[in-house]
Amino acid sequence: MTAKKASAIANANIALSKYWGKRDEKLHLPQNSSISMTTEGLFAHTTVCFDAKFTKDSFVLDGKNIAPDTPEFKDYIGNFLTFVKKEYNITEKARIESKNNFPGSAGLASSAAGFAALATAVNSALGLGLDEKGLSILARRGSGSACRSILGGFVEWKKGVKDDGSDSYAVELATADHWKDFRMVFCITSLSEKKIKSRAGMNETVKTSPFYAEWLKTVESDLARIRQGILEKDFTIVGQTAENNALKMHSLMMTTEPSIMYWNSGTLEVIDAVLDIRDKGMGCYFTMDAGPQVKIICLAKDVEKIMKKIEALKSVEKMIVSRPGEGAYITDDHLF
Ligand code: DP6
């Protein structure tokens, strides 16, 4: 039997209206829909090979072997492979290698890019013939937010209502070309790995935050504003709503028991600078995920001035500028 091998590249994505909490922990079905931008230039490159001669599944991430008996393997790649093998009657073991061109596990959506690339590569290696919707559902089985990185530009993950998750996948709201001068400036305030993974954190939030039900009541109107803001290229509406939505999500994290605090002093330093820049009349907003990094939302014309201000802050280790990027795609460039 011949080996079945393929490689894919997928960009990370950053939510403008966040996903935080599941209605089904196993299938990664969310409590609410979310909207994101696929970020050009922050990507995962993944190669997968299924071969009868392999005696065990293996996974190498950024050059480091992740042992199959660790939670890092079992809860992520292990679960995903178990599902794929069962669903498609695959008997061969898999070898997977993945590389991110940006730091992993630091609130920069590395699992989203990684599983979108893996789902795309698996689809090709095994000849599954999945369309965009099928790929988005497959990527979701690895990590919820990964379903959004299958598509490019501005993307909505429809939460769906069915128990089997067949209606919980991402759709394109607007292509990357629709809003060419939309930017996110990633301000890296710490490259250490986060202590609490999003997965564990959001499950605790749903169970213990007294504000969770209130969050759900406000999400639909945030989604509607951001959807409309994107379609009309109304930067103020998108920025204001995204910033407010991120702060609501972080309030949920902080009011989880025991509380989850992803911020560090650098996070506050950057937020303070964004507020200051805005006070002086320039349109810029911020969003944050499960980590201390701040992503500044702005327009291309203001990037240089904003970066100059942020550069002067002692807590910012690195900045990366990103624009709306393409969805996941197959490449002939194999990692092994
Ligand atoms: C804060 O998609 O990483 O980035 O589905 O358990 O793998 P799992 O969680 P994950 O959570 C992402 C949470 C977030 C917000 C967002 O991207 O919408």
Side-chain angles (χ1 to χ4, degrees):
M1 269 213 292
T2 51
K4 298 163 185 161
K5 181 169 168 176
S7 299
I9 289 178
N11 284 318
N13 74 78
I14 297 297
L16 296 164
S17 186
K18 308 290 185 186
Y19 148 54
W20 194 254
K22 301 179 206 257
R23 64 182 166 89
D24 185 313
E25 293 182 15
K26 191 162 171 250
L27 304 183
H28 308 316
L29 300 179
Q31 292 267 359
N32 60 269
S33 300
S34 53
I35 294 177
S36 59
M37 180 191 100
T38 302
T39 53
E40 185 191 78
L42 285 92
F43 60 83
H45 179 177
T46 304
T47 298
V48 65
C49 181
F50 292 87
D51 195 327
K53 74 172 193 247
F54 295 153
T55 53
K56 57 178 177 38
D57 292 325
S58 66
F59 176 45
V60 173
L61 178 59
D62 290 327
K64 187 179 150 214
N65 182 48
I66 311 293
D69 56 348
T70 56
E72 202 184 345
F73 184 97
K74 286 197 266 189
D75 296 348
Y76 291 84
I77 293 288
N79 275 344
F80 182 79
L81 282 176
T82 305
F83 166 72
V84 167
K85 288 181 190 172
K86 194 162 169 236
E87 183 78 5
Y88 299 105
N89 288 318
I90 308 298
T91 50
E92 295 100 322
K93 304 278 184 211
R95 175 175 170 194
I96 302 167
E97 255 188 71
S98 193
K99 264 191 340 199
N100 296 316
N101 75 333
F102 60 94
S105 290
L108 291 176
S110 55
S111 68
F115 276 109
L118 181 58
T120 304
V122 162
N123 181 42
S124 168
L126 298 177
L128 304 179
L130 296 174
D131 59 6
E132 213 164 63
K133 170 181 161 184
L135 275 175
S136 180
I137 290 177
L138 181 60
R140 195 203 72 223
R141 294 300 298 246
S143 176
S145 55
C147 75
R148 299 187 307 235
S149 273
I150 294 294
L151 293 100
F154 296 88
V155 175
E156 177 161 358
W157 174 10
K158 304 270 182 199
K159 67 182 170 117
V161 291
K162 293 187 182 159
D163 286 345
D164 66 359
S166 57
D167 58 351
S168 183
Y169 57 91
V171 296
E172 180 189 283
L173 289 178
T175 62
D177 279 349
H178 164 75
W179 203 349
K180 284 189 183 141
D181 57 347
F182 193 95
R183 292 287 180 279
M184 274 191 197
V185 180
F186 289 71
C187 306
I188 315 290
T189 64
S190 162
L191 288 177
S192 19
E193 276 202 20
K194 59 192 173 205
K195 292 186 192 85
I196 303 172
K197 296 250 186 222
S198 318
R199 186 161 299 177
M202 67 172 76
N203 291 344
E204 286 312 304
T205 297
V206 174
K207 284 182 214 141
T208 64
S209 172
F211 302 136
Y212 198 72
E214 296 305 312
W215 153 262
L216 290 179
K217 281 187 207 157
T218 73
V219 174
E220 282 305 323
S221 71
D222 287 357
L223 289 166
R225 286 162 68 91
I226 290 180
R227 228 180 267 131
Q228 187 194 349
I230 289 169
L231 294 179
E232 292 172 1
K233 291 194 247 182
D234 185 330
F235 177 72
T236 308
I237 292 280
V238 173
Q240 268 176 1
T241 314
E243 183 177 293
N244 185 263
N245 182 275
L247 287 171
K248 279 188 288 193
M249 178 182 73
H250 280 270
S251 312
L252 293 178
M253 294 160 166
M254 291 174 194
T255 52
T256 297
E257 284 179 38
S259 69
I260 306 167
M261 187 71 197
Y262 286 115
W263 299 16
N264 61 19
S265 54
T267 313
L268 280 170
E269 199 184 16
V270 180
I271 291 178
D272 205 38
V274 171
L275 297 181
D276 193 48
I277 297 168
R278 201 155 79 210
D279 271 353
K280 298 205 167 96
M282 196 184 292
C284 69
Y285 298 88
F286 61 84
T287 187
M288 290 159 299
D289 294 284
Q293 332 307 349
V294 181
K295 293 102 187 181
I296 301 177
I297 302 167
C298 61
L299 292 172
K301 65 180 174 56
D302 297 325
V303 165
E304 217 172 295
K305 280 192 213 128
I306 290 171
M307 286 180 78
K308 256 216 162 79
K309 298 250 183 207
I310 302 296
E311 237 163 44
L313 307 179
K314 59 177 186 315
S315 57
V316 177
E317 296 182 17
K318 198 179 164 170
M319 276 183 284
I320 306 168
V321 184
S322 179
R323 65 180 72 198
E326 297 305 322
Y329 59 93
I330 288 292
T331 171
D332 289 337
D333 184 4
H334 299 305
L335 295 177
F336 60 86

